[in-house]
Amino acid sequence: MHDFSFKRGKLYCENVSVASLAKKHGSPLYVYSHTTLTRNFEQLDDALSPVDHLVCYSPKANSNLAVLRTLANAGSGFDIVSGGELRRVIAAGGDPSKCVFAGVGKSEEEIELALKKGIYAFNAESEPELIRINKVARLLKKKAPIAVRVNPNVDAKTHAKITTGTYDNKFGIAFEEIEGVYERTAKLKHLHLRGLQMHIGSQLTEIGPFEKAANKIVPLAKRLAEKHGIEFFSIGGGVGIAYESALESGDAKWWRSPKRKNVLTPAKYAAKLVPLLKPLGLRILVEPGRFIAGNAGILITRVEYVKQTGVKNFVIVDAAMNDLARPALYDSFHEIVPLTRKAGDHRKKNQISSDVVGPICESGDYFCKNRPLPKVGEGDYLALLSAGAYGFVMASNYNVRPFPAEVLVKGSQAEVVRKRQPIKQLWASESVPKWLE
Ligand code: LLP
């Protein structure tokens, strides 16, 4: 459920016409819905209400300050992966004592910062990391709160590049070794064993792998609670979203018959997991990124040219793989719709098999291939849907292209929450050595 829909043929974000935003702010432009962000958070939060829990949004999915503030206001904690993310969360008004710090490569500086800010727990991923955290905590005369990430060796059945819970992946410590690690960690004087964490992958569209992993890990969490007094178990993030027919709440059928994948809802997720988790009596943490932000954002782009080659109909747009990298990186699907629909657009005879491509000098710079789309021409705007998670955050300046602007909409209000990057900023930190003059 989200707040992008067609009204009288025009795409709206909440009560704001998306075309009016494109005209005012130019393109490429990310547009986010405050109501969708908040609703997604609340749905998950409510579904977990039978257990003591904390939803820790993953800023890696979308770390715009206004998005973080929206979630902090809703009561969210944060699942950070760098010192930079911690600073951003604090800058946005987030509470460090509701932050968990994940990642396999935490530097001494990052550990020091997190200890000074008083985070809730480090999700440690190796024994060398535990030794390092202990050392930094000793120097600061503190006790570091720790959860160890267990790798349950369960296949999440998602894209290979976002599978994290098998022994082929760099993440966590093998299930069989965990209890030994807790024994040794308990002897490190500057650590306080507070929890256990897992995360098996991202964009899971079925409950099965979550259940399988939870069934395997819950008895372990129970033993660790008895022996080491841990107080929380984090089941990670990974709840998938519908990328196909993302306009399900609007009049999507004009576009094509919805082929909706079996997507996890918070209710389905909680119905299976709460009965497994509740008997533990531990605080449950979840770390959703995509579920909260994915369908809360779209990327607007303008058609520059239509190039017909006899073989292909290339729709060349002003957004590119540097603005939204997911199709190039993971072959991922983003639904593409014109901002203004015309009568009959949904008819096959009015559609043309198209490749929507960006201006970057790589053949991987495409948003879709051979997809039936209504005919569009120079100057028309298109929206790439479900681009709120892993969209802007993965943008780069490749081909010396500035970062796009971002707008947040709430009801009838719309505000630029990130200005389009001024072009000179792209080389502002560079210099030419004197000896080249
Ligand atoms: N917790 C941990 C430890 C993670 O590594 C991740 C995501 C999350 C939580 C949040 O997962 P989510 O709820 O968003 O599935 N760039 C990729 C996704 C990378 C996910 C990385 N880790 C994409 O665009 O699909």
Side-chain angles (χ1 to χ4, degrees):
M1 172 88 177
H2 58 81
D3 298 83
F4 296 91
S5 62
F6 280 96
K7 295 177 194 166
R8 298 171 303 281
K10 310 255 182 248
L11 184 64
Y12 274 73
C13 174
E14 306 199 17
N15 300 329
V16 176
S17 126
V18 176
S20 71
L21 295 174
K23 273 199 198 96
K24 192 161 174 200
H25 306 295
S27 58
L29 179 73
Y30 276 97
V31 178
Y32 308 125
S33 157
H34 179 274
T35 303
T36 309
L37 286 166
T38 311
R39 184 190 307 109
N40 288 344
F41 174 85
E42 284 170 357
Q43 276 186 359
L44 198 54
D45 199 39
D46 288 351
L48 292 170
S49 59
V51 288
D52 175 21
H53 71 278
L54 179 64
V55 177
C56 292
Y57 168 69
S58 282
K60 64 169 84 64
N62 186 326
S63 59
N64 184 287
L65 291 186
V67 170
L68 298 182
R69 173 66 70 91
T70 299
L71 293 161
N73 286 349
S76 187
F78 297 92
D79 162 43
I80 56 162
V81 288
S82 67
E85 281 193 354
L86 178 55
R87 288 187 195 279
R88 239 178 204 281
V89 164
I90 295 170
D95 179 354
S97 74
K98 286 184 176 177
C99 286
V100 287
F101 190 172
V104 295
K106 301 174 191 79
S107 70
E108 290 200 7
E109 293 73 23
E110 288 177 318
I111 294 167
E112 188 179 328
L113 174 73
L115 279 170
K116 286 185 175 157
K117 298 292 179 192
I119 63 163
Y120 181 60
F122 290 90
N123 290 338
E125 306 236 13
S126 66
E127 287 202 86
E129 181 190 329
L130 287 162
I131 291 165
R132 182 182 282 186
I133 298 173
N134 186 59
K135 184 184 97 180
V136 178
R138 190 183 62 232
L139 294 173
L140 294 176
K141 300 192 175 53
K142 284 185 185 282
K143 257 189 176 247
I146 296 289
V148 179
R149 177 169 178 173
V150 55
N151 183 329
N153 201 22
V154 169
D155 185 357
K157 299 207 162 49
T158 180
H159 192 284
K161 286 188 185 162
I162 51 177
T163 291
T164 52
T166 76
Y167 291 169
D168 270 348
N169 309 125
K170 66 183 173 186
F171 301 100
I173 293 179
F175 173 76
E176 294 76 13
E177 290 170 29
I178 281 285
E179 279 165 286
V181 171
Y182 274 75
E183 291 297 321
R184 293 189 285 281
T185 304
K187 297 191 184 110
L188 299 175
K189 293 206 176 65
H190 289 271
L191 301 185
H192 157 215
L193 284 169
R194 179 170 257 177
L196 175 71
Q197 194 259 358
M198 73 172 195
H199 171 75
I200 57 174
S202 193
Q203 182 55 11
L204 275 73
T205 51
E206 286 165 23
I207 191 72
F210 282 117
E211 266 187 295
K212 195 169 169 190
N215 271 315
K216 190 165 174 183
I217 302 306
V218 161
L220 169 70
K222 192 161 187 286
R223 290 196 295 278
L224 294 174
E226 281 158 8
K227 207 150 181 210
H228 298 285
I230 63 166
E231 66 188 47
F232 80 88
F233 172 42
S234 170
I235 53 176
V239 178
I241 60 166
Y243 280 96
E244 297 200 27
S245 286
L247 286 175
E248 83 270 16
S249 63
D251 43 357
K253 285 201 184 97
W254 72 276
W255 179 242
R256 65 203 169 99
S257 65
K259 260 199 304 171
R260 293 204 53 207
K261 290 222 178 95
N262 181 19
V263 162
L264 274 178
T265 58
K268 279 191 217 164
Y269 177 76
K272 292 287 182 190
L273 294 179
V274 165
L276 292 174
L277 300 170
K278 199 175 162 87
L280 266 179
L282 295 179
R283 186 177 204 203
I284 300 301
L285 265 61
V286 279
E287 304 163 0
R290 189 186 320 260
F291 176 76
I292 303 240
N295 282 334
I298 61 175
L299 174 62
I300 311 305
T301 187
R302 203 173 68 97
V303 177
E304 293 284 7
Y305 302 99
V306 175
K307 175 171 166 178
Q308 285 176 322
T309 63
V311 180
K312 290 270 194 182
N313 183 56
F314 288 111
V315 177
I316 304 170
V317 295
D318 67 355
M321 63 191 280
N322 74 297
D323 303 302
L324 177 65
R326 303 192 69 256
L329 268 180
Y330 318 113
D331 269 323
S332 62
F333 178 95
H334 286 269
E335 198 163 348
I336 302 176
V337 297
L339 297 197
T340 307
R341 76 175 194 196
K342 295 181 218 77
D345 267 357
H346 63 291
R347 300 234 160 75
K348 271 218 164 82
K349 67 174 173 63
N350 294 329
Q351 295 179 352
I352 174 162
S353 173
S354 304
D355 285 20
V356 177
V357 301
I360 283 183
C361 305
E362 288 202 29
S363 297
D365 182 27
Y366 63 86
F367 293 123
C368 73
K369 287 190 171 204
N370 304 322
R371 195 182 296 173
L373 291 178
K375 287 184 189 117
V376 289
E378 196 177 320
D380 287 343
Y381 287 103
L382 299 173
L384 290 131
L385 306 183
S386 312
Y390 307 108
F392 185 95
V393 284
M394 291 171 73
S396 77
N397 289 132
Y398 189 37
N399 278 211
V400 196
R401 291 168 50 85
F403 290 137
E406 296 172 286
V407 167
L408 182 67
V409 173
K410 183 181 179 199
S412 306
Q413 309 170 78
E415 189 143 332
V416 175
V417 292
R418 182 181 187 117
K419 288 189 206 126
R420 190 171 304 285
Q421 191 179 26
I423 192 76
K424 281 189 180 163
Q425 223 183 59
L426 272 72
W427 55 87
S429 347
E430 299 173 30
S431 54
V432 176
K434 277 247 175 308
W435 39 265
L436 279 183
E437 282 170 4

